[in-house]
Amino acid sequence: IAAAYSTRPGRANNYDARHAVIQVLNSVGSKREVQQYLSHFSSVSSKQFAVIKVGGAILTEHLEELCSSLAFLYHVGLYPIIVHGAGPQLNKLLEEAGVEPQFEEGQRVTDGKTLGVARKLFLAENLKLVRTLESMGVRARPITSSVFMADYKDKEKWKFVGKITDINKAPIESAIESGYLPILTSMAETTEGQVLNVNADVAAGELARVLEPLKVVYLSEKGGLFGEEGNKISAINLDEEFDHLMSQSWCKFGTRLKIKEIKELLDNLPRTSSVAIIHPAELQKELFTDSGAGTLIRRGNKLMT
Ligand code: ARG
């Protein structure tokens, strides 16, 4: 492990960081597993390791765990691209500001006031994440505009809600090339510079489509998808299992929608890409062991190609 670690360029040669990393790795899996996955994840260009979507609740409830998991990846020389939302906090702030939430076809209408509150909140959450990472010795760069280009989804209906039309990778590439983790908010902008609200899951998915990373990770408090009798689903091989899953009585609402969305995403990615749904505290275990800890979703059943 030390050897694999030291072959990565430009990382902290700091003994403590290195020591901590080796300890974590040894406690999480066998040397063989850890080495195997580390070299797999390092085999692609730095920006193609992972896109990690961080839900709003993680930023408030599990910030420390999130940041130490990310610090770990950074210290082994991996550069995940982070996209965050701030959904739950937004609802609370809007309530406090006396803004009545309005919905059309199940989706929030973002009026000017809502957009203003959301923008301010997103920037504050972004800064909080960056500062916590920096305090752990991780170089992190806030990227709060210019990546996601969008058009109004339906101006009459949803007002300041965007539909992503294009992605500008330059700020992400430049951060990684300089040794920083890119920390993105999910807001987009029109060609005229109007900021628009987009769902963070959608933004992370669009980013993955362009970057084609090995992993698309959804960090959630639940730490996976749950199936029959509330058991955690360890892995889904879509090619063989999708139709069967869709016919199951427990496969409904959020879980059903999530599986459909992930299938749609993976259908547009190389077969080597997979999705992981995992709790932030168990990210290392998911990534660096054979059995993982959350739910792994891929098209076929081959782990690595
Ligand atoms: N570490 C491997 C990977 O990230 C395997 C993970 C298996 N995970 C699971 N939930 N079954 O590809």
Side-chain angles (χ1 to χ4, degrees):
I1 290 159
Y5 178 77
S6 61
T7 60
R8 299 292 294 167
R11 276 289 48 83
N13 281 320
N14 170 329
Y15 174 80
D16 286 342
R18 181 178 166 145
H19 186 71
V21 164
I22 291 168
Q23 282 222 314
V24 171
L25 288 179
N26 286 341
S27 69
V28 150
S30 71
K31 282 206 168 65
R32 190 230 9 115
E33 285 175 290
V34 174
Q35 231 147 21
Q36 176 192 347
Y37 288 110
L38 189 54
S39 67
H40 177 54
F41 295 139
S42 308
S43 68
V44 289
S45 74
S46 292
K47 61 175 188 235
Q48 287 193 304
F49 158 51
V51 169
I52 300 186
K53 187 261 170 168
V54 181
I58 302 293
L59 291 175
T60 47
E61 309 300 319
H62 305 280
L63 186 63
E64 293 290 316
E65 289 159 303
L66 166 68
C67 290
S68 50
S69 289
L70 297 178
F72 166 77
L73 295 175
Y74 171 84
H75 287 308
V76 292
L78 295 170
Y79 288 84
I81 297 157
I82 315 303
V83 183
H84 70 85
Q89 299 98 298
L90 181 59
N91 291 333
K92 216 179 119 215
L93 277 185
L94 289 173
E95 212 174 283
E96 284 166 12
V99 182
E100 278 285 315
Q102 279 187 31
F103 290 85
E104 283 288 339
E105 294 168 30
Q107 198 183 341
R108 183 203 300 280
V109 177
T110 302
D111 61 9
K113 200 165 175 190
T114 303
L115 184 71
V117 173
R119 181 75 179 152
K120 212 173 141 194
L121 171 66
F122 274 49
L123 295 177
E125 292 296 303
N126 186 281
L127 187 59
K128 184 175 85 178
L129 179 51
V130 166
R131 289 181 66 153
T132 311
L133 286 167
E134 293 269 351
S135 77
M136 293 179 171
V138 178
R139 294 168 137 201
R141 182 175 288 181
I143 301 180
T144 59
S145 64
S146 80
V147 169
F148 301 110
M149 302 307 295
D151 262 340
Y152 289 87
K153 187 168 173 179
D154 182 331
K155 204 173 179 177
E156 301 294 293
K157 208 182 261 175
W158 291 295
K159 304 192 176 149
F160 295 111
V161 171
K163 185 181 185 311
I164 295 175
T165 51
D166 200 9
I167 283 183
N168 174 22
K169 295 187 282 187
I172 297 171
E173 289 168 345
S174 133
I176 294 176
E177 275 158 27
S178 319
Y180 290 81
L181 295 192
I183 314 294
L184 283 72
T185 53
S186 65
M187 282 195 167
E189 64 210 57
T190 67
T191 48
E192 295 169 329
Q194 170 64 54
V195 169
L196 297 177
N197 196 10
V198 296
N199 174 285
D201 281 16
V202 173
E206 292 294 327
L207 201 56
R209 235 183 273 259
V210 177
L211 294 171
E212 305 192 326
L214 288 174
K215 284 279 166 188
V216 184
V217 179
Y218 293 93
L219 294 180
S220 81
E221 282 188 295
K222 286 193 201 154
L225 292 179
F226 294 81
E228 203 147 29
E229 290 169 2
N231 294 321
K232 190 184 277 176
I233 304 172
S234 171
I236 297 176
N237 297 310
L238 291 169
D239 287 351
E240 298 126 57
E241 295 174 61
F242 183 74
D243 293 335
H244 176 71
L245 280 174
M246 289 298 124
S247 73
Q248 297 295 298
S249 59
W250 55 261
C251 188
K252 50 192 175 196
F253 312 127
T255 305
R256 188 181 189 86
L257 186 66
K258 195 85 222 162
I259 295 174
K260 280 188 167 175
E261 284 171 356
I262 290 171
K263 179 179 178 353
E264 161 114 15
L265 172 63
L266 288 176
D267 280 344
N268 288 293
L269 289 179
R271 296 189 70 84
T272 41
S273 298
S274 60
V275 167
I277 305 174
I278 183 73
H279 189 282
E282 295 189 309
L283 185 57
Q284 289 95 300
K285 195 165 178 214
E286 175 59 33
L287 293 177
F288 296 99
T289 66
D290 293 336
S291 51
T295 301
L296 170 72
I297 305 169
R298 59 199 161 195
R299 276 159 77 188
N301 63 9
K302 272 182 90 187
L303 246 189
M304 305 208 282
T305 347

